[in-house]
C-alpha cells in the first residue's frame, strides 16, 4: 500500500500575487470525481468465475490511490461508516498531469458531497473557486479558496472548507483533469440535456436537445465558462450534471465487463484518504444513496478587493448552505453564523469602494476547530 504524504505544495513565494489571473492555469480545468460508486461495478460480479480477479484488481488499484494525511477530522469517521451514518467527501479537481508532482496547481473544482443512506440521497454542493477566505499558512490577508490546496495540500483544503461552512469533512478525494475524460469513456459515455447552446472545444451542444458525450466532449462541456450568462455558476451546474450522469451510468451497468477500463481510468488520476476497506463499506451500506441526487451551490457576490475579483458569500448564504449540508449529515444546525441584518455594521458583501470586512463576513477567517462543535 502506498503511504506517500500529501502532494507537496508549490513554493509560496511563487504565489505572492495569487489573486491575479496570471497565476491561474491557462487551461481552465474542471474535473469531477465520484470513484466510490465504481466499486459497485466490481461487486456486481457476485459469484462469477472471475469475480476474485476483479476484486484483487480493484484492491491493488485503490490501494495505490490511498494517501495518508494530517486532515483534521471533526468526528469519528470510522464510527460513521461502521454504523452506516451519513458521511461527507470533499471532491477536489486539479490540473497537474500525473498526481504526485511538485506542481500541485489550484483546485478549481470544489464540491462537498454528502451521502445519506437512510434517505437514499447524495447532495453535491459546489463552492465557487473565487470564494474569499483566509487560509492558514497564507501570507495574504485573504485569498481565493482554490489556493488552499496549493498552499498546504489536502489538509489545508479540508480545514478551509470546514471553517468556511462549519461542516465536518469526513474524507477527501483529489482527481486530475485526465481523470474525468477517462472515467466517462470507461462507462461508455454519458447522455446530457444542455441548458444552453454553445460550441467549446470538443463540445457542440444545443439547448434542450439530448446529446451523448464521450470523455473529451464531457470535459469540454464542463469547462466552458465565458459564453455562459451565469459564468462560473453555470459551469458549476454543468460539472454537477456530468457527475450525476456519471453516477447513474456507473450504477446502471448490468455487468462488470468494463471494470478494467474503469480501474485504469482511476489509476494515477486520484488520491484519497479513503482506504479500500472504507470503499467496500460504502459500496455495501451506502449504494442506495445514488437513487436520489440533489445539486446546489454557494452563491456569492462579485466583489473587487485590492484590485482582485472575489466571490463573497453573505452570512445568510453561508448559514443556509451550512445548515443544508448539516441536515443531509443528520446533525444540528450551525450556531456560527449570525444573520446579515445582525451583522450589517461589520459585514459588507459588496460596496462601491471595493472594501470588505474580513472579521465576520465570510466565515473563513478562522480555521476549523480542533474539537467538533456540538451536534457532530
Amino acid at each position: 500500500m502506498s503511504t506517500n504524504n500529501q502532494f507537496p505544495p508549490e513554493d509560496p513565494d511563487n504565489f505572492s500575487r495569487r489573486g491575479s489571473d496570471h497565476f491561474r492555469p491557462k487551461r481552465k480545468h474542471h474535473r469531477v470525481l465520484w470513484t466510490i460508486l465504481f466499486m459497485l461495478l466490481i461487486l456486481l460480479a457476485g459469484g462469477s468465475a472471475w469475480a476474485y480477479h476483479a476484486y484483487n484488481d480493484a484492491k491493488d488499484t485503490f490501494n495505490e490511490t490511498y494517501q495518508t494525511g494530517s486532515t483534521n477530522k471533526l468526528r469519528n469517521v470510522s464510527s460513521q461508516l461502521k454504523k452506516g451514518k451519513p458521511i461527507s467527501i470533499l471532491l477536489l479537481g486539479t490540473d497537474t498531469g500525473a498526481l504526485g508532482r511538485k506542481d500541485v496547481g489550484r483546485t478549481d473544482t470544489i464540491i462537498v458531497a454528502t451521502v445519506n443512506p437512510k434517505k437514499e440521497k447524495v447532495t453535491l454542493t459546489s463552492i465557487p473557486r473565487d470564494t474569499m477566505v483566509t487560509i492558514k499558512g497564507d501570507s495574504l490577508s485573504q485569498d481565493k479558496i482554490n489556493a488552499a490546496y496549493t498552499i498546504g495540500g489536502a489538509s489545508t483544503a479540508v480545514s478551509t472548507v470546514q471553517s468556511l461552512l462549519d461542516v465536518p469533512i469526513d474524507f477527501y478525494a483529489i482527481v486530475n483533469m485526465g481523470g474525468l475524460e477517462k472515467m466517462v469513456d470507461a462507462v461508455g459515455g454519458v447522455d446530457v440535456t444542455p441548458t444552453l447552446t454553445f460550441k467549446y472545444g470538443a463540445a457542440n451542444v444545443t439547448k434542450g436537445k439530448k446529446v451523448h458525450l464521450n470523455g473529451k466532449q464531457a470535459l469540454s462541456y464542463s469547462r466552458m465558462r465565458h459564453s455562459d450568462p451565469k459564468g462560473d455558476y453555470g459551469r458549476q451546474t454543468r460539472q454537477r450534471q456530468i457527475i450525476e450522469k456519471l453516477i447513474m451510468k456507473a450504477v446502471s451497468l448490468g455487468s462488470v465487463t468494463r471494470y478494467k477500463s474503469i480501474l485504469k481510468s482511476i489509476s494515477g488520476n486520484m488520491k484519497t484518504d479513503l482506504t479500500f476497506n472504507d470503499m467496500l463499506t460504502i459500496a455495501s451500506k451506502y449504494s442506495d444513496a445514488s437513487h436520489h441526487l440533489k445539486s446546489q451551490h454557494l452563491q456569492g457576490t462579485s466583489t473587487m478587493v485590492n484590485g482582485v475579483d472575489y466571490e463573497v458569500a453573505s452570512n445568510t448564504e453561508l448559514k443556509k448552505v451550512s445548515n443544508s449540508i448539516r441536515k443531509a449529515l443528520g446533525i444540528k444546525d450551525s450556531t456560527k453564523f449570525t444573520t446579515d441584518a445582525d451583522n450589517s455594521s461589520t459585514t459588507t458583501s459588496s460596496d462601491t469602494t471595493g472594501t470588505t470586512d474580513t472579521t465576520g463576513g465570510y466565515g473563513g477567517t478562522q480555521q476549523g476547530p480542533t474539537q467538533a462543535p456540538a451536534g457532530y
Side-chain angles (χ1 to χ4, degrees), residues 11-27:
D11 182 356
D13 291 338
N14 292 333
F15 284 83
S16 59
R17 290 184 289 136
R18 275 187 292 268
S20 171
D21 287 342
H22 177 72
F23 287 93
R24 292 176 186 168
K26 293 182 180 180
R27 300 176 64 189

Side-chain angles (χ1 to χ4, degrees), residues 12 63 103 156 173 238 286 291 337:
N63 280 347
D103 179 8
T156 297
R238 280 178 275 112
Y286 293 75
H291 292 174
F337 308 105

Side-chain angles (χ1 to χ4, degrees), residues 19 48 57-58 65 70 91 107 157 216 256 351 365:
S48 64
D57 286 344
T65 70
S70 56
L91 308 179
T107 52
K216 188 175 182 179
V256 290
D351 58 32
T365 58

Side-chain angles (χ1 to χ4, degrees), residues 2-191:
S2 174
T3 57
N4 292 332
N5 292 328
Q6 64 191 28
F7 316 139
E10 284 194 4
D11 182 356
D13 291 338
N14 292 333
F15 284 83
S16 59
R17 290 184 289 136
R18 275 187 292 268
S20 171
D21 287 342
H22 177 72
F23 287 93
R24 292 176 186 168
K26 293 182 180 180
R27 300 176 64 189
K28 303 304 180 183
H29 41 280
H30 312 288
R31 299 92 358 247
V32 290
L33 176 66
W34 193 255
T35 57
I36 312 318
L37 293 178
F38 284 131
M39 288 301 301
L40 294 176
L41 301 181
I42 286 87
L43 299 179
L44 283 173
S48 64
W50 43 273
Y52 176 77
H53 299 290
Y55 173 89
N56 282 335
D57 286 344
K59 185 176 182 180
D60 290 342
T61 296
F62 283 104
N63 280 347
E64 291 176 1
T65 70
Y66 178 70
Q67 175 180 266
T68 59
S70 56
T71 56
N72 180 28
K73 306 291 186 181
L74 297 184
R75 57 186 188 168
N76 188 330
V77 295
S78 296
S79 176
Q80 293 293 118
L81 286 177
K82 185 177 180 180
K83 296 178 181 178
K85 292 186 176 181
I87 59 172
S88 64
I89 305 172
L90 180 62
L91 308 179
L92 302 170
T94 188
D95 184 15
T96 59
L99 291 181
R101 286 175 49 180
K102 182 178 180 180
D103 179 8
V104 299
R106 289 190 173 207
T107 52
D108 281 358
T109 297
I110 306 170
I111 298 175
V112 178
T114 59
V115 189
N116 190 316
K118 184 176 181 180
K119 294 185 178 181
E120 299 185 354
K121 180 184 288 187
V122 172
T123 302
L124 304 175
T125 304
S126 296
I127 302 175
R129 64 179 188 175
D130 293 339
T131 299
M132 179 183 253
V133 293
T134 295
I135 302 171
K136 185 178 181 179
D138 191 2
S139 60
L140 304 179
S141 59
Q142 68 272 320
D143 211 329
K144 299 182 178 183
I145 195 169
N146 67 348
Y149 178 63
T150 303
I151 292 167
S155 61
T156 297
V158 167
S159 65
T160 301
V161 171
Q162 287 181 151
S163 177
L164 175 70
L165 296 179
D166 192 30
V167 296
I169 298 298
D170 299 323
F171 302 99
Y172 67 82
I174 307 162
V175 67
N176 70 13
M177 189 171 78
L180 173 63
E181 182 175 341
K182 292 180 180 179
M183 289 176 193
V184 171
D185 283 337
V187 300
V190 295
D191 296 326

Side-chain angles (χ1 to χ4, degrees), residues 210-221:
K210 187 176 181 179
V211 62
H212 183 79
L213 302 177
N214 61 26
K216 188 175 182 179
Q217 293 166 333
L219 186 60
S220 294
Y221 180 80

Side-chain angles (χ1 to χ4, degrees), residues 192-199 204-211 221:
V192 301
T193 302
T195 58
L196 72 162
T197 299
F198 68 88
K199 183 176 182 181
N204 187 357
V205 299
T206 302
K207 179 180 179 179
K209 185 177 181 180
K210 187 176 181 179
V211 62
Y221 180 80

